[in-house]
């Protein structure tokens, strides 16, 4: 984990109050585009880095309150305290309960039986989120995915990235973007929308990975579960994605989620590149565009 110089010390007095008994200077700090996250033993403190991120904190806290009240079969971060409102000297922050666990270790799925166990737990996760999307209170509290989201994405790719691609790369991108045109606008399930491997935490249970929780719900919305399924494929490969889908049963088979997940999975490199372009992250941009140059 990165520890930017002075990241914790800049708000040391506040952190010592929020993380009572911890040695603030020794705590790991994650630096993101919109937040700086200080990770304590039992609590996590998120500081907004921009005014826009600060404005979103109340909405994010409200969404986490809703999720914490659901019986999903895994833990989500519980919002404990918010501060830094206008008129105070404190930076905008949100304190969350820390979820124990770590992302799956590299190579974990190669052990006999582990991939099947992990796939079954992911299938249960997606089923729980789909069921949560039918709850009236959840539907009233969470935002709905934008109807024009993928059209806007395709437009931004063409505007911002096509000039960085070869002619063959642009043709490939056009094929992948065309697949998005066939996607229906769905808002029936709770969708994490950033279900990459780094946001799914596991604990050891007698030598087997046991899903303990999911973090980073900033983009949660009512949308298409194919997005989360595609993110699983992007993290662990198409084989695990297909196994999760197979374990989803008849509901997954009947609603066309496989085709939608495949279409979305095909754009993940473009999604990475576009995000990196906007974040001015040269290394991630080059990696995302590697197949388009």
């Amino acid at each position: 984990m990165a520890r930017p110089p002075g990241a914790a010390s800049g708000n040391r007095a506040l952190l010592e109050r929020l993380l009572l008994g911890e040695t603030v200077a020794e705590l790991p700090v994650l630096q993101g585009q919109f937040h700086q996250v200080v990770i304590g033993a039992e609590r996590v403190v998120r500081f907004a880095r921009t005014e826009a991120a600060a404005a979103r904190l109340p909405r994010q806290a409200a969404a986490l309150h809703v999720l914490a009240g659901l019986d999903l079969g895994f833990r989500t971060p519980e919002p404990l305290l918010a501060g830094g409102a206008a008129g105070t000297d404190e930076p905008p922050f949100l304190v969350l309960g820390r979820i124990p666990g770590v992302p799956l270790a590299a190579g974990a799925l190669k052990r006999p039986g582990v991939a099947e166990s992990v796939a079954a737990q992911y299938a249960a996760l997606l089923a729980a989120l789909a069921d949560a999307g039918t709850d009236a209170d959840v539907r009233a509290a969470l935002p709905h995915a934008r109807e024009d989201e993928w059209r806007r994405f395709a437009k931004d790719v063409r505007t911002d990235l096509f000039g960085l691609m070869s002619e063959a790369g642009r043709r490939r991108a056009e094929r992948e973007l065309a697949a998005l045109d066939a996607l229906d606008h769905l808002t029936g399930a709770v969708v994490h929308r950033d279900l990459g491997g780094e946001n799914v935490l596991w604990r050891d249970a007698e030598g087997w990975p046991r899903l303990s929780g999911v973090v980073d719900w900033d983009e949660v919305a009512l949308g298409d579960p194919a997005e989360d399924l595609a993110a699983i494929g992007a993290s662990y490969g198409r084989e695990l994605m297909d196994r999760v889908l197979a374990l989803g049963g008849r509901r997954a088979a009947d609603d066309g989620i496989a085709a939608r997940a495949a279409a979305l999975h095909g754009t993940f490199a473009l999604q990475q590149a576009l995000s990196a372009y906007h974040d001015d992250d040269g290394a991630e941009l080059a990696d995302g565009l590697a197949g388009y140059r």
Side-chain angles (χ1 to χ4, degrees):
M1 296 181 181
R3 183 178 287 115
S9 60
N11 297 302
R12 179 168 293 178
L14 175 59
L15 284 167
E16 288 177 345
R17 175 165 61 84
L18 298 175
L19 302 172
L20 188 63
E22 304 226 37
T23 305
V24 169
E26 298 179 357
L27 297 179
V29 178
L30 295 179
Q31 186 87 355
Q33 180 184 6
F34 300 113
H35 300 96
Q36 186 180 80
V37 183
V38 183
I39 303 175
E42 300 293 335
R43 292 181 166 193
V44 173
V45 183
R46 302 184 68 187
F47 291 106
R49 298 187 63 223
T50 67
E51 290 185 6
R56 291 193 294 267
L57 283 179
R59 184 186 70 195
Q60 292 165 0
L64 288 172
H65 272 299
V66 171
L67 293 169
L70 300 175
D71 183 14
L72 295 172
F74 57 88
R75 291 180 59 185
T76 60
E78 180 184 1
L80 303 174
L81 180 68
T88 72
D89 294 330
E90 296 177 339
F93 68 84
L94 182 62
V95 181
L96 307 172
R98 181 176 179 178
I99 298 175
V102 295
L104 277 179
L109 297 180
K110 295 180 180 179
R111 286 177 46 210
V114 170
E116 185 73 10
S117 175
V118 167
Q121 292 177 76
Y122 264 120
L125 182 160
L126 295 180
L129 293 181
D131 289 341
T134 67
D135 184 289
D137 291 336
V138 172
R139 297 195 65 78
L142 296 184
H144 290 228
R146 294 177 58 123
E147 187 169 1
D148 65 345
E149 179 173 9
W150 295 113
R151 290 194 298 273
R152 291 166 59 92
F153 169 74
K155 179 181 177 182
D156 288 347
V157 167
R158 294 183 178 104
T159 300
D160 297 334
L161 300 183
F162 268 29
L164 305 176
M165 299 178 184
S166 67
E167 181 61 33
R170 287 192 288 271
R171 288 196 298 270
R172 172 188 166 181
E174 283 290 5
R175 290 193 299 271
E176 293 165 349
L177 294 174
L180 300 180
D181 292 337
L183 295 181
D184 294 327
H185 180 236
L186 302 175
T187 60
V190 174
V191 181
H192 182 279
R193 312 196 82 194
D194 191 13
L195 202 65
E198 71 280 2
N199 289 330
V200 183
L201 306 182
W202 305 78
R203 302 188 76 176
D204 180 81
E206 298 182 351
W208 292 83
R210 179 71 61 187
L211 177 64
S212 60
V214 180
V215 298
D216 196 0
W217 293 83
D218 290 359
E219 302 300 323
V220 64
L222 293 161
D224 185 351
E227 289 190 51
D228 285 346
L229 182 63
I232 295 169
S235 291
Y236 301 112
R238 182 66 180 267
E239 184 176 351
L240 186 73
M241 183 180 85
D242 289 343
R243 189 59 190 145
V244 172
L245 180 63
L247 291 168
R250 178 170 295 278
R251 173 169 55 183
D254 287 350
D255 72 357
I257 190 173
R260 301 196 308 276
L264 291 165
H265 185 265
T267 68
F268 263 67
L270 293 175
Q271 292 183 48
Q272 173 186 327
L274 186 64
S275 177
Y277 178 87
H278 291 159
D279 292 350
D280 196 25
D281 187 332
E284 285 293 303
L285 176 63
D287 182 63
L289 288 180
Y292 301 87
R293 287 179 159 167

